[in-house]
Amino acid sequence: MSLPVVRAVVYFIVMAAIAAFVGAVVQPWAGWAVLVLGLIVQLGYHIVYLGRLERWSRQPSATAELEGDGVWDDVFSRIYRHEKKLLELIARRETEAAEFSAAIQALTDGVILLDPDNHITWCNMTAEMQFGLTLRTDQGQPLANLVRQPEFVAYLAAEEFARPLLLRPDRQEGRVLSVHVLPYGSGNRLMQIKDVTQADALDRMRRDFVANVSHELRTPLTVLAGFLETLQEIELEPDDRRHYLELMTEQSERMQLIVRDLLTLSSMEAAPPPENEEVDMATLLDKLRRDAEMLSGGRHHIVLVAAEGSGDLRGAESELVSALGNLVSNAVRYTPEGGTITLSWHTGKDGGEFAVQDTGIGIEAKHIPRLTERFYRVDRGRSRDTGGTGLGLAIVKHALGRHRATLDISSTPGKGSRFAARFPVSRVVGL
Ligand code: ADP
């Protein structure tokens, strides 16, 4: 028996005993009157506390404590403790839910929770931006009514969610989204939306690159195969034969150059960040000048401008030779006979600048942003005739990028161009 019941029974026994005593000593009716009075007092006591409980239950609170005595003290304190625990649990759950939704908000992927009929239950801000949704007003709406692009509507309707959908949203030109639906709970869905614009662009670049390489190699290969066939089938005069062999050598050298540049690019891509060897600029500049003179074969004026002691570079010597050498050889190749090519190196508080200025054919402004793309050439014929592969400036950009340096190109068609490699302070010795 619980304590309150024991108390009630004891109260009743005591009251009955007092009533029996009064009934025996005074009159029987007096005994009955005492008993009824006792019961009324007991009933009144319970009614008062029941009233308190009823009032409190309308707005249960863990702070406004219920106060009672006797039996009700026990009951009230138990209810109060239970209520307090419950409210604490709710507060904890609310905090957890808020943290969970903050974590989903922080995701760079869009997330939309859908019910089994594809109505929006919840979405994060990324998804709002990706699909132009507003959770406050769109909650409960069918998603297909808000994102009406036919392929998206068809994807939702088909209910085949094993593969993600690649979507190019009408309202965000150039963006590519990967939409993936994952079932959870009882028929609910979680839609994950990844922005794969960059990955898609990389993939396209890779495909273009493979197509370009194949094309670049196929041309000389076709020529070679043609000559070989001719040599096998036709009895040629020695002079013609020599001429054909010279042309074949030219084509195979061309292929060798392409493969050499491709290997240079891929070795730079795979290599760890460049070393920090100190590259003696006086020696490097002298080598670049001599290379320019050799390539030019006396057809141009080669000028070198570099202040005494203007500082050395910190980096991978072979990559710097390759990058700066490409700029020099381009200047020679794209400058007609009699032109001037000026190599310069200077350092200042902003870092170091190596520049090659020529008085050559120049480049139209529209081509400049694309010059460092692999195999991009303004004039394919001229590039080929001067032994170009279309990869030189791609190598330059890559090698400079690895040294945190930038390439600045300015040019005036018919007048000449200036290619400047700018190195940050951290790459110049002594700054
Ligand atoms: P290529 O092997 O064709 O020279 P590059 O990547 O070195 O390839 O250069 C890309 C294109 O940029 C060249 O085909 C050429 O059209 C242009 N170019 C580069 N340097 C110069 C320059 N100094 N003057 C004019 N055009 C240039």
Side-chain angles (χ1 to χ4, degrees):
M1 236 190 299
S2 69
L3 194 64
V5 177
V6 172
R7 275 193 193 162
V9 171
V10 169
Y11 178 85
F12 188 76
I13 292 170
V14 171
M15 277 310 300
I18 295 170
F21 177 74
V22 171
V25 176
V26 188
Q27 289 277 330
W29 64 265
W32 283 111
V34 168
L35 187 65
V36 169
L37 200 70
L39 290 176
I40 287 174
V41 168
Q42 180 77 333
L43 199 65
Y45 161 79
H46 287 305
I47 286 173
V48 167
Y49 283 112
L50 255 179
R52 275 193 200 175
L53 181 62
E54 194 273 334
R55 271 198 306 283
W56 179 86
S57 69
R58 278 188 233 156
Q59 241 179 345
S61 145
T63 45
E65 202 167 336
L66 274 167
E67 279 178 14
D69 53 31
V71 181
W72 288 97
D73 187 32
D74 285 352
V75 174
F76 281 175
S77 61
R78 247 178 251 148
I79 291 178
Y80 176 73
R81 276 204 303 276
H82 190 254
E83 180 66 17
K84 203 170 162 192
K85 253 195 222 153
L86 210 66
L87 289 176
E88 276 169 8
L89 189 73
I90 292 173
R92 215 167 39 238
R93 291 280 179 270
E94 274 173 358
T95 314
E96 280 168 12
E99 272 170 14
F100 188 66
S101 95
I104 299 186
Q105 285 293 13
L107 279 179
T108 48
D109 289 351
V111 174
I112 305 179
L113 302 184
L114 298 167
D115 70 10
D117 299 320
N118 293 330
H119 291 199
I120 301 173
T121 314
W122 187 86
C123 72
N124 67 358
M125 274 177 336
T126 313
E128 284 187 322
M129 280 188 303
Q130 285 165 328
F131 284 157
L133 304 173
T134 310
L135 180 60
R136 205 166 23 83
T137 48
D138 295 337
Q139 204 164 29
Q141 298 287 325
L143 182 58
N145 284 3
L146 302 165
V147 184
R148 289 165 172 268
Q149 229 167 301
E151 58 269 43
F152 182 77
V153 176
Y155 177 71
L156 274 185
E159 306 251 323
E160 295 251 336
F161 301 131
R163 278 163 179 245
L165 166 77
L166 268 197
L167 188 71
R168 293 169 200 277
D170 292 338
R171 50 187 300 284
Q172 285 174 294
E173 221 189 304
R175 291 247 150 252
V176 186
L177 302 177
S178 163
V179 178
H180 202 174
V181 176
L182 308 154
Y184 77 96
S186 45
N188 296 322
R189 281 110 195 240
L190 183 148
M191 181 176 279
Q192 184 188 20
I193 310 129
K194 269 185 193 299
D195 189 329
V196 291
T197 311
Q198 244 181 340
D200 188 69
L202 276 177
D203 198 44
R204 209 177 37 244
M205 267 169 66
R206 188 188 53 78
R207 273 183 274 128
D208 287 354
F209 178 64
V210 172
N212 276 332
V213 172
S214 318
H215 176 79
E216 294 289 333
L217 291 175
R218 200 183 54 201
T219 315
L221 262 178
T222 314
V223 178
L224 265 181
F227 286 150
L228 279 173
E229 213 176 284
T230 313
L231 284 176
Q232 275 170 345
E233 285 176 6
I234 306 171
E235 204 51 55
L236 290 168
E237 292 297 317
D239 276 358
D240 287 343
R241 200 180 154 78
R242 196 174 320 110
H243 178 61
Y244 271 78
L245 285 173
E246 270 167 20
L247 291 175
M248 284 167 71
T249 311
E250 224 171 75
Q251 294 304 326
S252 68
E253 277 170 358
R254 195 163 130 63
M255 283 197 291
Q256 271 175 339
L257 286 181
I258 294 174
V259 172
R260 181 205 62 190
D261 282 356
L262 284 173
L263 286 175
T264 308
L265 264 177
S266 82
S267 68
M268 267 195 277
E269 269 168 355
E275 293 156 45
N276 264 340
E277 14 172 1
E278 283 192 13
V279 182
D280 178 37
M281 277 311 273
T283 315
L284 176 59
L285 291 169
D286 195 48
K287 175 181 162 33
L288 292 173
R289 185 179 50 81
R290 275 187 285 114
D291 287 352
E293 278 164 357
M294 203 185 72
L295 269 171
S296 160
R299 289 176 295 125
H300 307 93
H301 306 285
I302 313 284
V303 183
L304 173 61
V305 185
E308 264 301 303
S310 47
D312 291 331
L313 269 178
R314 219 177 255 126
E317 182 159 9
S318 60
E319 289 180 27
L320 292 171
V321 168
S322 166
L324 308 185
N326 262 307
L327 296 181
V328 172
S329 91
N330 278 355
V332 175
R333 289 168 44 231
Y334 297 105
T335 302
E337 197 166 344
T340 302
I341 291 156
T342 312
L343 318 185
S344 65
W345 167 243
H346 69 260
T347 54
K349 62 177 173 32
D350 298 331
E353 185 195 82
F354 170 81
V356 184
Q357 170 111 41
D358 65 48
T359 56
I361 58 171
I363 308 153
E364 272 185 72
K366 65 174 183 192
H367 296 292
I368 292 181
R370 300 198 58 191
L371 291 182
T372 54
E373 285 175 25
R374 291 161 192 209
F375 297 116
Y376 189 87
R377 290 123 156 170
V378 176
D379 178 346
R380 194 166 277 271
R382 183 170 186 131
S383 160
R384 198 179 41 233
D385 295 345
T386 55
T389 59
L391 292 169
L393 289 181
I395 293 175
V396 173
K397 185 183 166 192
H398 220 85
L400 292 184
R402 282 166 55 76
H403 288 78
R404 303 247 174 278
T406 52
L407 178 65
D408 185 69
I409 309 171
S410 50
S411 186
T412 312
K415 292 229 159 96
S417 315
R418 184 173 194 274
F419 286 73
R422 301 219 170 103
F423 293 87
V425 175
S426 58
R427 286 276 165 201
V428 182
V429 180
L431 275 190

